[in-house]
Amino acid sequence: MKGYRLPDVTYPLLKASSIFSMPPAYPSLFRVRQHFAPEKVADVPTAVTGELDRMGLASRVRQGESVAITAGSRGIANLPAILRAAVGFFVAAGARPFVVPAMGSHGGGTAEGQTALLARYGITEEAIGCPIRSSMETVVLCQAPEGFAVHFDRLAAEADHVLVVNRVKSHTRFVGEIESGLMKMLLIGLGKKAGAEVYHRAIQQYSFAQIIASVAGAVRSRCPILAGLAVVENAYEETARIEGVFPEAFETRERALLAEARRLTARLPFDDVDLLLVDRIGKEISGTGMDTNVVGRKFNDREAAAGELPRVKWIAVRGLSQATGGNAVGLGIAELCRSRVLRAMDAAATRINAVTAGHLPAAMVPLDYETDREILDAALATIGLVEPADARVLWISDTLHLAEVDCSAAYYEEALRRHDLSILAEPAEMPLDARGCLPERARWHRPAGPPP
């Protein structure tokens, strides 16, 4: 069969000098600072000691009794200082405190991995002043009414008392009056890998609210839970409130504290985004690597649900945090990433976490590119009829640090009218280097200047 020969026709626009060989025009960027509610605890150790003293816990603990204090895998602000103050309080009361990692399957689902994860957060025996006892062993407390075993950390169960320490905030996947906080720590954190696996399976069949109430109730009635220490943070990742809570008040106080946490939560400065560039994701940043409440993917990994804000078309991940230890869970929420992310990923740890949480897409791999230029070319070519130079692009360090955000020029006029935003730097070209790579945002500083 003869091949088909194209007719000899000249197309001037398709020559080497055509628009198809011209480098794309990327949007210019300017930086804004967001103004959030400023609530902040002035002296964190004093606040911790004051709350434990207010509750009269020194009189509830006898000389020589052991107190297990929980430490989770989230990047809670001032957590080493909070733990050190709690340890000091119980030592002064004559007790024998120790810290137990309470983080489900994180740290690769091993005792050594969980201890190493705490060390990356600055939580070591030397830093907090007491032993760290890590084990993946659990005891089965009972059978829940829903028909599954209720697990609890063996070392904590054998202690005379347990102090539950956790941050209260919105959960990345579940919605309710109680989401992530003291109650969840009783389930997922202290349930270790065995408990986390069965509870996440149960949540596929029952509601999160039903499982959390069922398991937490069983734990509180059968385990020596002394009290909880609830932490609320402001949008600047600072400690906004520390409150001691008795076990019987966990539910009522968490509802109120969650409402406060939602009020203080940081947001992206604009609701409609073509491309969100994220410097890093990690387990200390969010349970899903990046906070789905921030990027608008809480109900659907691929797009905002009806009525959900913000509406982000494409997400590109540029790196993993050092503290995450290679756990790249949440990468599957993004559509694009730098190839270096895949090289830094601990595939085994990522898959264990995703399977345990029942969130398999979170470990899936997006399109990867060696350079940011390639990411920009792929993303900006697929946002519709919008020219690349006019694209709505936001660039953040991570979903915890949103006080300063780099924004494309498409947002400039709106930013000028916003009282909750200050413009720190005028629009300028994207700082791509000769290889086509952007710097880390923390290393990219430009002086503020007059508007163009």
Side-chain angles (χ1 to χ4, degrees):
M1 181 177 180
K2 293 183 179 180
Y4 181 76
R5 186 174 184 275
L6 290 173
D8 295 326
V9 179
T10 301
Y11 296 95
L13 290 178
L14 298 181
K15 292 181 178 180
S17 60
S18 74
I19 59 171
F20 296 97
S21 63
M22 294 173 61
Y26 301 122
S28 57
L29 298 175
F30 67 99
R31 182 168 290 190
V32 300
R33 180 167 183 82
Q34 303 196 75
H35 302 296
F36 299 121
E39 284 97 324
K40 179 181 177 181
V41 174
D43 187 331
V44 169
T46 299
V48 170
T49 302
E51 284 298 292
L52 300 179
D53 188 57
R54 176 185 63 80
M55 302 174 76
L57 297 188
S59 63
R60 292 170 175 253
V61 176
R62 295 179 181 177
Q63 188 79 18
E65 288 186 331
S66 58
V67 181
I69 303 174
T70 68
S73 57
R74 302 293 184 257
I76 299 174
N78 300 307
L79 184 56
I82 291 169
L83 295 176
R84 186 168 57 248
V87 166
F89 176 87
F90 288 111
V91 168
R96 296 180 294 109
F98 65 96
V99 161
V100 292
M103 56 183 75
S105 67
H106 301 172
T110 68
E112 298 78 13
Q114 296 198 345
T115 301
L117 185 54
L118 290 184
R120 286 194 288 272
Y121 298 154
I123 300 169
T124 63
E125 294 185 351
E126 294 75 20
I128 60 176
C130 75
I132 295 175
R133 299 177 184 167
S134 182
S135 171
M136 299 306 293
E137 292 185 47
T138 64
V139 295
V140 175
L141 302 177
C142 63
Q143 290 292 120
E146 293 78 10
F148 57 82
V150 175
H151 290 262
F152 195 77
D153 180 280
R154 180 180 63 79
L155 295 174
E158 293 174 353
D160 296 304
H161 306 280
V162 179
L163 178 71
V164 182
V165 180
N166 203 19
R167 176 178 55 198
V168 176
K169 64 183 291 291
S170 296
H171 196 280
T172 54
R173 297 187 67 204
F174 306 118
V175 180
E177 293 182 324
I178 294 173
E179 296 188 15
S180 184
L182 301 176
M183 296 278 283
K184 179 172 174 281
M185 184 64 89
L186 295 179
L187 280 73
I188 308 300
L190 286 165
K192 311 301 284 192
K193 185 174 183 292
E197 286 177 342
V198 71
Y199 304 149
H200 279 110
R201 287 171 56 196
I203 290 167
Q204 303 293 327
Q205 185 170 341
Y206 300 95
S207 70
F208 178 67
Q210 180 175 339
I211 297 304
I212 202 169
S214 177
V215 176
V219 169
R220 284 181 298 178
S221 65
R222 291 170 172 83
C223 295
I225 308 300
L226 178 66
L229 203 57
V231 180
V232 175
E233 293 180 2
N234 64 24
Y236 301 107
E237 202 195 358
E238 299 169 331
T239 307
R241 175 190 285 270
I242 295 174
E243 182 174 322
V245 185
F246 286 115
E248 59 271 20
F250 276 12
E251 293 182 49
T252 55
R253 286 309 302 153
E254 273 210 49
R255 291 190 183 98
L257 292 171
L258 178 57
E260 181 175 356
R262 285 171 173 160
R263 178 179 63 83
L264 297 174
T265 296
R267 308 286 183 190
L268 293 178
F270 303 101
D271 289 334
D272 290 290
V273 185
D274 294 316
L275 173 63
L276 176 64
L277 296 169
V278 184
D279 274 357
R280 57 183 174 269
I281 64 172
K283 291 299 295 185
E284 84 283 11
I285 294 167
S286 173
T288 48
M290 63 183 111
D291 192 337
T292 56
N293 297 284
V294 171
V295 302
R297 302 280 177 95
K298 183 164 183 171
F299 307 96
N300 185 332
D301 289 340
R302 284 289 164 260
E303 63 182 355
E308 185 180 17
L309 296 175
R311 293 177 288 265
V312 180
K313 185 170 184 63
W314 303 135
I315 299 175
V317 173
R318 304 184 59 240
L320 298 182
S321 69
Q322 184 176 2
T324 200
N327 188 336
V329 76
L331 184 59
I333 296 171
E335 288 77 27
L336 308 111
C337 73
R338 289 278 298 272
S339 300
R340 65 182 182 180
V341 175
L342 304 186
R343 291 191 288 271
M345 178 175 67
D346 182 331
T350 303
R351 290 169 182 172
I352 287 171
N353 195 179
V355 171
T356 301
H359 189 193
L360 300 187
M364 292 183 179
V365 175
L367 298 180
D368 70 287
Y369 297 93
E370 285 294 336
T371 69
D372 294 302
R373 186 185 300 279
E374 293 171 285
I375 286 177
L376 290 167
D377 290 346
L380 300 185
T382 54
I383 58 173
L385 296 177
V386 179
E387 293 298 324
D390 300 324
R392 297 167 299 185
V393 178
L394 296 181
W395 180 14
I396 62 175
S397 298
D398 55 61
T399 55
L400 268 183
H401 301 91
L402 296 171
E404 294 186 9
V405 179
D406 288 293
C407 315
S408 65
Y411 298 111
Y412 190 77
E413 292 302 321
E414 180 181 345
L416 288 174
R417 300 190 296 269
R418 292 267 296 272
H419 298 296
D420 60 329
L421 301 177
S422 294
I423 296 177
L424 302 181
E426 62 186 46
E429 290 184 3
M430 278 195 176
L432 292 163
D433 63 18
R435 297 179 301 126
C437 296
L438 295 166
E440 300 304 307
R441 285 189 68 259
R443 295 201 298 269
W444 181 44
H445 298 284
R446 296 173 302 166

